Amino acid sequence: MDEKLSKVDPKLLDLLVCPLTKGRLSFSRDTNELISESARLAYPIRDGIPIMLISEARKIED
């Protein structure tokens, strides 16, 4: 998984926002996802590319 992480440009991650709420995202190294706490969604990163589609996001359950 670390190989894929190294392909994601940290500057790109700083620019991305949640497409639903336009809020900040945090990176989860454990799941290799971008997390939107306000939307309770986790956006996957596949082959170093963040998939910023609401339809592809995983709902975060409590």
Side-chain angles (χ1 to χ4, degrees):
M1 182 167 23
D2 286 333
E3 294 173 20
K4 292 181 181 180
L5 294 179
S6 64
K7 294 181 185 175
V8 179
D9 185 347
K11 292 177 186 173
L12 174 64
L13 296 180
D14 287 341
L15 296 174
L16 291 174
V17 296
C18 175
L20 183 64
T21 66
K22 308 300 186 244
R24 292 187 58 116
L25 298 167
S26 59
F27 175 68
S28 172
R29 185 175 293 273
D30 294 337
T31 60
N32 198 36
E33 295 172 317
L34 295 176
I35 307 297
S36 172
E37 293 291 339
S38 56
R40 306 289 295 154
L41 293 173
Y43 298 94
I45 299 173
R46 297 186 190 130
D47 297 322
I49 301 169
I51 310 299
M52 303 305 298
L53 299 171
I54 296 168
S55 61
E56 293 288 318
R58 176 178 63 82
K59 291 181 181 169
I60 298 173
E61 306 291 335
D62 284 333

